[in-house]
Structure formats: structure tokens, C-alpha cells
């Protein structure tokens, strides 16, 4: 038992495997040690594989949010028309950034339990010529919904618009094809489906986006937020703009190795399988999924609508304190609780642990739920996946 906590089933940072923990504990090196140089180069190559891209990889030395802010600041030119797709907390937040960085904001917003229909994007672009970029959140983690990034990427290409994609909670666990979908700037973190440390932002950047940043008078330079500094100093002169987070880089290399050894497709299938187990249990228990329909649920977590009698933070804290299981609250998306099956927790019995702790916790708080029926349905689904009858 670690700090009275038995299971971390949160929506990121997530639990790490012993191999990841061991990598994070390796001796700290000087960043100009040839071995660290080699590590950095290897991480770039392995990140390109999980992004499924030939585009340039830039590794930002901070939480994914740093890479997202850097991307938005570097891409937004004064008065640029940007179409922001807001179907949740992260999408809405991107819109505030775009405005404050000087964009002319265009926005398609839907309720936070729905997803933007690619058809709406197509129609918006037809009616509003001159949109230069579309900003998309692939997996809206606080609400557990997914957007059809593949279809939207193709529509953007057709209309000549660039794309900036927040793929923080999808890369490694959900299908994500940077090149096939024609995406320009993509950002992910290590602490979600990859199961790594929360301290590094991985980005892929197309040639077109790089050219655009270079021509942007507002793109940060000589700044912690500067992507161009990484191009010019690190890629151009093998000089770090500042000292990288050495230990976090070990952790990131380890999680990339683990996902590539497992096989990206196998990792994606594992997340989907755990999602099916969890959803079966939630519904059999008599609870309701938060997303408006199952087609838009993100496979890295299950978000569950709570009855008005209880609130999300109360439920999360109660389940943590009484049963030692860490779930996630709605983080502003609504009165919902989230069982994540993300990274190492997208496996075997973890969803069943989450379901039983949540179900019993809700009963403690006076909500009527059939915990037994939920566990039964989840176990039946798990047994079927493993090739047998329960
Ligand atoms: C986790 C996450 C981020 C990173 O933001 P934090 O608030 O630092 O965790 C960004 N976008 C999405 C979709 C995420 O899930």
C-alpha cells in the first residue's frame, strides 16, 4: 500500500509500471554527456513512431500544457482566423488562449457531452472563407468524449486550413494517425495513455507549420515557450536552449519502448477492451454514461453521470478515503465521475476494481445502484474477451 492508496485509476497522471519507475530512478547525467544526447535522439525517433508520422518531433521540457501553449502562441499570427472546436473544458480553454494571443476567434461549441460533427466543420468553412487553422481536442479527457480527428483533418486539408491538435490523452492508447489524417501540429503528454511522468510535452510539426511559425512575428523566441529555439539551437546546432529534465526523459523513453514492444495496435485494442468492460459494468449497475452516445466515448476513460444528490468531488474523495481507489472528478465538465482505463490501468481487473469501489461508494452516499449486477456484467465481458464463459 502506498500512502493509503491501493489503486490509481485517475485520468492522468496514471499509475506507472515497475519498469517505468526503474527508468525514472536511473542515475542523473550531465545533459551534454554523449549518452544523454543519444537518449534524446532516440526519444525523438520513438515519439515519431507513436505519432505515426514523418514530421519533425519537438520535445518540450514541461507538462503537455506547456507544449499546447507554445504551439498556440507560435501558430497564431495577428488577426489570424482560427476555428476552434469546443466540445469540452480543454477545447474551450484553447479558445480563450487563441483570443488572447491575437487570433480572430471562430468557434463551434457543443454541449460537453457531445462531439462536433465533421459535417458542421465543413459547412462552417464553406460559409466563412479565410480560416487558416482549426484547433481540435482529439480526446476531451474531462468529459470522456472523442472527436473525429481523422475526418476533420481531411476537411481542413481540403479547405487549405492547418490543424493544431491536442492529442494529450489519446496518443499511445487510441488510434491516432498524424500523417494519414494530414495533421500539422500535434501535442501529447507522457502521463496519460503512455503511463509516464507528467513533465514532458511531445509534439509533431509539419513543414508547413514550421514555415508558418518562422514567418510569425509573434512566435516566441529566446523563451521557455519557444518552439523555434528548439529548431534553431537543438536541431540546428546540437545545443540545448536550457537544461532538459534528464530523469523525465528516461521515463519517457521507457514508456515509448513499452508501447512499441507491445505494439501500438495492441495497446489501442487493450484500451478498447477495458472500455467495454467498464461500460458494461456501469450500465448494468443502473448508472448512465455521460457522453450522449456510445459512438463518441473515448476508450481511455469512462465518464459516468452522477445523480444530483451527490457531487463529483465528494464521490471521488469518498471512494479514495474509504476504498483506497483514486478516481477522477468532472474537472469542470459536469457532475460526473471518471474511471480511467489509461496506460497500465487499461488492463484485466482494474476496471472491475474501479466499478466496485465506485458502486459501493455511491451506495454509502445513499444512491441506489446494483453493484453486484455491475460487477457481474463486467466480469462476463472480461471472460468473453479472454475466450471463455464466466
Ligand atoms: C491532461 C491533458 C492536458 C494537459 O493538461 P493538464 O491540465 O496539465 O493536465 C491537455 N489536454 C488534454 C486533453 C488532457 O487530457
Amino acid at each position: 500500500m502506498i500512502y493509503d492508496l491501493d489503486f490509481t485509476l485517475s485520468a492522468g497522471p496514471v499509475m506507472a509500471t515497475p519498469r517505468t519507475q526503474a527508468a525514472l530512478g536511473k542515475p542523473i547525467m550531465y545533459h551534454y554527456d554523449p549518452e544523454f544526447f543519444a537518449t534524446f535522439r532516440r526519444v525523438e525517433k520513438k515519439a515519431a513512431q507513436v505519432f505515426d508520422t514523418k514530421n519533425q518531433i519537438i520535445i518540450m521540457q514541461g507538462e503537455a500544457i506547456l507544449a499546447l501553449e507554445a504551439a498556440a502562441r507560435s501558430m497564431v499570427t495577428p488577426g489570424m482566423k482560427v476555428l476552434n472546436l469546443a466540445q469540452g473544458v480543454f477545447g474551450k480553454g484553447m479558445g480563450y488562449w487563441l483570443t488572447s494571443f491575437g487570433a480572430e476567434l471562430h468557434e463551434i461549441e457543443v454541449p460537453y457531452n457531445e462531439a462536433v460533427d465533421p459535417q458542421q466543420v465543413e459547412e462552417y468553412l464553406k460559409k466563412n472563407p479565410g480560416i487558416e487553422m482549426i484547433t481540435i481536442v482529439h480526446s476531451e479527457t474531462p468529459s470522456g468524449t472523442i472527436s473525429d480527428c481523422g475526418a476533420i483533418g481531411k476537411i481542413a486539408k481540403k479547405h487549405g486550413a492547418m490543424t493544431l491538435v491536442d492529442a494529450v490523452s489519446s496518443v499511445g492508447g487510441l488510434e491516432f494517425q498524424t500523417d494519414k489524417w494530414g495533421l500539422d501540429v500535434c501535442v501529447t503528454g507522457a502521463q496519460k495513455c503512455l503511463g509516464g511522468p507528467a513533465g514532458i510535452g511531445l509534439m509533431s510539426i509539419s513543414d508547413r507549420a514550421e514555415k508558418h511559425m518562422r514567418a510569425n512575428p509573434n512566435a516566441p523566441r529566446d523563451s521557455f515557450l519557444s518552439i523555434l529555439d528548439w529548431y534553431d539551437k537543438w536541431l540546428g546546432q546540437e545545443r540545448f536552449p536550457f537544461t532538459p529534465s534528464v530523469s523525465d526523459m528516461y521515463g519517457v523513453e521507457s514508456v515509448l519502448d513499452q508501447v512499441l514492444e507491445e505494439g501500438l495496435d495492441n495497446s489501442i485494442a487493450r484500451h478498447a477492451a477495458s472500455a467495454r468492460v467498464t461500460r458494461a459494468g456501469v450500465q448494468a449497475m443502473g448508472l448512465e454514461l455521460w457522453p450522449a452516445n456510445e459512438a463518441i466515448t473515448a476508450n481511455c476513460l469512462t465518464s459516468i453521470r452522477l445523480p444530483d444528490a451527490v457531487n463529483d468531488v465528494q464521490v471521488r474523495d469518498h471512494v479514495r478515503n474509504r476504498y483506497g481507489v483514486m478516481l477522477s472528478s468532472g474537472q469542470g465538465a459536469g457532475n460526473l465521475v471518471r474511471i480511467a482505463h489509461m496506460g497500465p490501468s487499461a488492463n484485466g481487473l482494474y476496471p472491475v476494481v474501479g466499478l466496485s469501489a465506485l458502486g459501493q461508494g455511491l451506495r454509502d452516499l445513499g444512491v441506489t445502484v446494483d453493484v453486484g449486477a455491475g460487477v457481474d456484467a463486467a466480469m462476463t465481458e472480461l471472460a468473453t474477451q479472454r475466450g471463455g464463459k464466466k
Side-chain angles (χ1 to χ4, degrees), residues 275-343:
R276 286 198 299 277
V277 170
T278 316
R279 283 178 218 149
V282 164
Q283 286 163 321
M285 232 184 254
L287 294 166
E288 210 187 309
L289 297 175
W290 170 263
N293 63 73
E294 270 200 66
I296 60 163
T297 56
N299 283 340
C300 53
L301 65 107
T302 299
S303 51
I304 302 144
R305 184 181 291 278
L306 290 173
D308 294 340
V310 291
N311 78 61
D312 61 337
V313 172
Q314 171 196 21
V315 171
R316 180 198 67 190
D317 292 351
H318 173 77
V319 171
R320 163 71 168 79
N321 294 335
R322 185 160 296 175
Y323 301 107
V325 177
M326 191 74 237
L327 306 175
S328 287
S329 65
Q331 218 182 309
N335 194 25
L336 61 95
V337 68
R338 296 176 289 160
I339 300 174
H341 20 85
M342 192 180 267

Side-chain angles (χ1 to χ4, degrees), residues 126-269:
K126 273 189 199 149
K127 280 200 201 113
N128 298 273
I131 302 275
E132 283 187 69
M133 182 167 76
I134 304 179
T135 47
I136 312 162
V137 179
H138 184 216
S139 158
E140 255 297 351
T141 327
S143 28
T145 57
I146 196 158
S147 66
D148 191 345
C149 212
I152 296 166
K154 280 180 195 145
I155 292 166
K157 265 247 132 67
K158 194 172 109 189
H159 290 267
M162 292 179 287
T163 41
L164 192 174
V165 183
D166 173 345
V168 176
S169 69
S170 49
V171 169
L174 312 184
E175 188 194 18
F176 191 80
Q177 297 179 303
T178 305
D179 291 356
K180 195 171 156 212
W181 296 350
L183 307 174
D184 290 288
V185 180
C186 305
V187 173
T188 195
Q191 80 277 23
K192 305 280 167 86
C193 289
L194 294 167
I200 299 286
L202 303 168
M203 315 182 65
S204 76
I205 301 176
S206 70
D207 291 345
R208 182 182 177 195
E210 182 201 343
K211 279 199 194 82
H212 177 82
M213 286 181 198
R214 289 194 181 282
N216 180 7
N218 285 357
R221 288 272 192 183
D222 300 315
S223 156
F224 193 65
L225 281 159
S226 178
I227 294 169
L228 291 172
D229 285 359
W230 282 93
Y231 271 98
D232 293 344
K233 293 179 180 162
W234 168 243
L235 299 175
Q237 306 169 34
E238 297 210 313
R239 201 155 57 77
F240 290 110
F242 46 80
T243 308
S245 310
V246 173
S247 299
D248 279 351
M249 290 298 294
Y250 301 151
V252 172
E253 178 168 40
S254 175
V255 296
L256 292 172
D257 284 339
Q258 290 171 68
V259 78
L260 293 170
E261 283 168 24
E262 177 183 13
L264 210 43
D265 289 346
N266 293 332
S267 175
I268 292 165

